[in-house]
Amino acid sequence: MNLLARLDEDMKQAMKSKEKEKLSVIRMLKAALQNEAIKLGKGQLSEDEELTVLSRELKQRKDSLHEFEKAGREDLAEKLRNEINYVNVYMPEQLTDDELSNIIRETIQQTGASSKADMGKVMGAIMPKVKGKADGALISKLVQEHLSKS
């Protein structure tokens, strides 16, 4: 079942069970996916394009959550935490730290990177491998740690 069909099914369930917040998030996700399809001039997005949209939506919410927590707006922060949980349902399973470290080590070896100056080369090679399965900031931090050790 593709993502839009899954969102439609979940939207019906949320309507029936009167889960307003979940329904709102699903509608936002559907709108974001449909807007991206229109922007790209396609009838249907590929799985990779859908993942890109979901990742962007998740990142926006995480960034906003950080800002609300800094500002002491716990009411808005709690709402965003719930939204993040709803979006995470549609994301692929996240990689463990060990799996991520292994991928980073392999990529560093493949690219021949030896210092922090090679960070861009490593990040460019690793991001397609872990797209949607790990947070970009975490990957960047781990790559820096691995490169500083070598």
Side-chain angles (χ1 to χ4, degrees):
M1 177 186 311
N2 76 16
L3 184 58
L4 276 177
R6 190 169 158 211
L7 285 169
D8 284 335
E9 283 301 310
D10 290 351
M11 190 165 81
K12 289 175 192 170
Q13 280 304 118
M15 284 178 178
K16 288 177 184 173
S17 56
K18 296 187 181 356
E19 297 176 80
K20 288 182 181 178
E21 197 170 337
K22 183 177 183 178
L23 182 61
S24 172
V25 172
I26 291 171
R27 284 181 172 152
M28 280 190 273
L29 290 176
K30 279 190 66 171
L33 289 165
Q34 290 167 339
N35 287 339
E36 186 72 10
I38 291 168
K39 183 176 132 192
L40 296 175
K42 295 183 170 185
Q44 181 132 9
L45 296 175
S46 70
E47 207 172 295
D48 196 40
E49 292 164 336
E50 289 175 343
L51 190 56
T52 299
V53 173
L54 286 177
S55 296
R56 185 178 10 182
E57 291 294 314
L58 191 60
K59 184 179 181 335
Q60 286 174 352
R61 283 167 176 76
K62 285 182 178 179
D63 291 346
S64 297
L65 176 63
H66 178 69
E67 293 301 315
F68 287 147
E69 286 174 340
K70 264 186 9 189
R73 294 294 310 264
E74 193 52 41
D75 55 328
L76 296 173
E78 185 59 36
K79 181 180 184 297
L80 273 175
R81 280 188 208 99
N82 291 335
E83 286 186 15
I84 288 169
N85 289 336
Y86 292 133
V87 175
N88 274 329
V89 168
Y90 303 101
M91 295 294 289
E93 192 169 323
Q94 299 294 293
L95 295 170
T96 65
D97 288 346
D98 289 340
E99 291 170 326
L100 204 48
S101 287
N102 289 336
I103 293 171
I104 289 169
R105 271 194 292 280
E106 286 173 17
T107 307
I108 288 172
Q109 287 175 345
Q110 290 168 357
T111 58
S114 57
S115 69
K116 285 189 178 184
D118 299 321
M119 177 92 177
K121 185 169 35 170
V122 175
M123 289 299 289
I126 203 166
M127 289 312 285
K129 296 178 185 177
V130 298
K131 188 173 193 166
K133 297 178 184 171
D135 180 52
L138 174 64
I139 295 167
S140 177
K141 185 180 129 210
L142 291 173
V143 168
Q144 282 182 2
E145 287 173 9
H146 279 72
L147 287 175
S148 65
K149 291 177 189 173
S150 51

